[in-house]
Amino acid sequence: MYSLPKLEPIRDIRAIAVLTSGGDSPGMNPAIRGIVRSALNRGIQVYGVQRGFAGLIQNDLELLTSASVSNIVQRGGTLLKSARSLEFRQAEFRQKAAEQLAERGIEALFVIGGDGSLSGAHLFEAETGIPVIGLPGTIDNDIFGTDDTIGFDTAVNTALDAIDKIRDTADSHERHFLVEVMGRNSGFLATHVGIAAGAEMIIVPEHPVDIAALSEQLALNRNSGQGSSGIIVVAEGNEAGLTYRLAEQLKQHGQSPHVCILGHIQRGGIPSGHDRVLASCLGAVSVEYLLAGYSDILVGVQQGEVTDIPLDNLLRYRKGLDPELLRIALQLHR
Ligand code: F6P
């Protein structure tokens, strides 16, 4: 359980809007439910925005009731749908969205998404003065200021389920597999998945890979009878096709690994219990933050404590991979 902040309401809010943006993540639905129920129980109207910032610009909003969020806590994806909006990067569209919110009497916007979406939310507040509260919704767990993000735990478990199966066939055929996981340009997902899967190697963007050394290690494992098969977890990185290129390079060094790209399977599925609790707590508490006078913040978690992080920190700092975790992961290799 998280330790929750004690917040005193100091302002009245009559209506809010909530949207999900960027890559969806398992747990967005319980987060929406947390916001909606927490707000309705305080007499605040809640509008759901369809398809993230795109729907905000198109004025595609509808009032949500308590029943609208019934029976969604266990569903992957997002009830509100999600999108990546190019238009929202332009000030004129952000202004248009703000005017439309004002016309409906909406006094604050809740954004559930990754760092790109939350940075957009910060700009929106800075330019329009409409209070914004962000919630970290991404499988990448790469958002500065929060130890955890909604969907990360489920995505780790989804990847593990797949890798456990790949290991069966890898063992039967004495093969090495390069298994690519998502995470964009950060290695959180790969490191956690790699540790939990007992991977023989983990390759992340934060540490350049030495192909010759990797190939030597695989040969060493094979010759010492330790590793005629194995799993190498690779973070996708920023450039498409990276894992296939790695496989090609390893081939030039005498190895013949198979490639398996886990892809979008990691974004779907039933949210884990952990993600449901995280999302529900962050959703409910985020409304309390708004009423306590906060705005332009991310509601996240630090060392088991639900806390607020200024959204502009996301523009200034990058969350670094914990070097200790990587050190431990590397110690567990064969
Ligand atoms: O940010 C979440 C994420 O799933 C990344 O891990 C991945 O690189 C990206 O989104 C894929 O985005 P899209 O579904 O738009 O291709």
Side-chain angles (χ1 to χ4, degrees):
M1 185 50 197
Y2 301 102
S3 100
L4 302 173
K6 303 219 177 329
L7 298 161
E8 291 301 326
I10 59 159
R11 68 177 167 199
D12 279 334
I13 296 278
R14 278 157 301 160
I16 61 172
V18 55
L19 61 81
T20 47
S21 170
D24 61 348
S25 67
M28 282 184 162
N29 278 332
I32 296 167
R33 176 176 170 272
I35 293 169
V36 171
R37 294 262 166 97
S38 173
L40 291 178
N41 283 329
R42 293 174 166 86
I44 303 168
Q45 282 191 322
V46 186
Y47 286 85
V49 184
Q50 291 290 310
R51 299 182 315 286
F53 293 124
L56 202 62
I57 293 166
Q58 289 151 11
N59 209 4
D60 193 356
L61 284 72
E62 65 180 43
L63 272 175
L64 299 175
T65 63
S66 190
S68 319
V69 292
S70 286
N71 205 15
I72 64 165
V73 80
Q74 78 284 17
R75 299 214 179 123
T78 159
L79 165 83
L80 295 174
K81 311 226 177 295
S82 192
R84 301 187 195 279
S85 168
L86 288 177
E87 280 186 339
F88 200 73
R89 294 187 185 172
Q90 298 173 42
E92 59 180 290
F93 287 105
R94 293 194 288 271
Q95 198 54 47
K96 179 181 174 204
E99 284 161 18
Q100 290 167 173
L101 288 181
E103 276 163 25
R104 291 179 190 263
I106 294 169
E107 296 169 288
L109 178 66
F110 286 68
V111 175
I112 308 167
D115 57 353
S117 306
L118 296 170
S119 302
H122 166 69
L123 264 184
F124 181 72
E125 150 124 23
E127 288 171 6
T128 67
I130 295 185
V132 162
I133 306 281
L135 276 77
T138 168
I139 64 164
D140 299 344
N141 200 7
D142 59 346
I143 300 180
F144 181 84
T146 182
D147 297 340
D148 201 358
T149 58
I150 297 163
F152 177 66
D153 180 67
T154 308
V156 168
N157 284 298
T158 301
L160 288 177
D161 183 50
I163 290 177
D164 290 346
K165 291 179 175 122
I166 294 167
R167 200 181 270 286
D168 288 343
T169 176
D171 277 350
S172 304
H173 288 269
E174 301 183 276
R175 288 173 174 161
H176 284 106
F177 270 82
L178 294 176
V179 181
E180 183 183 291
V181 299
M182 278 189 165
R184 214 183 282 277
N185 55 358
S186 87
F188 287 93
L189 196 54
T191 308
H192 282 250
V193 168
I195 291 175
E200 277 61 32
M201 310 269 171
I202 301 171
I203 297 175
V204 291
E206 289 84 350
H207 290 266
V209 55
D210 179 343
I211 294 290
L214 173 59
S215 163
E216 222 168 89
Q217 187 62 48
L218 294 181
L220 209 67
N221 289 353
R222 211 182 275 274
N223 296 339
S224 66
Q226 280 188 60
S228 52
S229 71
I231 300 289
I232 300 159
V233 172
V234 184
E236 62 178 355
N238 249 342
E239 359 143 16
L242 167 87
T243 306
Y244 283 106
R245 279 197 295 284
L246 275 180
E248 279 308 314
Q249 288 167 339
L250 282 168
K251 274 184 193 151
Q252 284 160 20
H253 284 81
Q255 305 296 325
S256 47
H258 282 54
V259 171
C260 185
I261 311 283
L262 296 188
H264 286 82
I265 190 174
Q266 297 156 100
R267 287 239 298 261
I270 295 171
S272 65
H274 173 90
D275 278 330
R276 295 187 207 187
V277 173
L278 174 68
S280 301
C281 287
L282 296 185
V285 172
S286 62
V287 174
E288 295 175 7
Y289 269 108
L290 176 72
L291 296 180
Y294 288 77
S295 128
D296 200 20
I297 55 161
L298 168 72
V299 181
V301 178
Q302 286 174 5
Q303 295 171 351
E305 201 175 314
V306 172
T307 188
D308 60 292
I309 300 106
L311 274 180
D312 72 339
N313 278 359
L314 273 58
L315 297 176
R316 286 190 278 136
Y317 307 109
R318 183 170 144 72
K319 182 173 173 182
L321 192 60
D322 180 356
E324 284 305 295
L325 193 66
L326 200 62
R327 185 179 64 76
I328 295 293
L330 296 174
Q331 270 180 31
L332 300 177
H333 288 159
R334 275 198 277 227

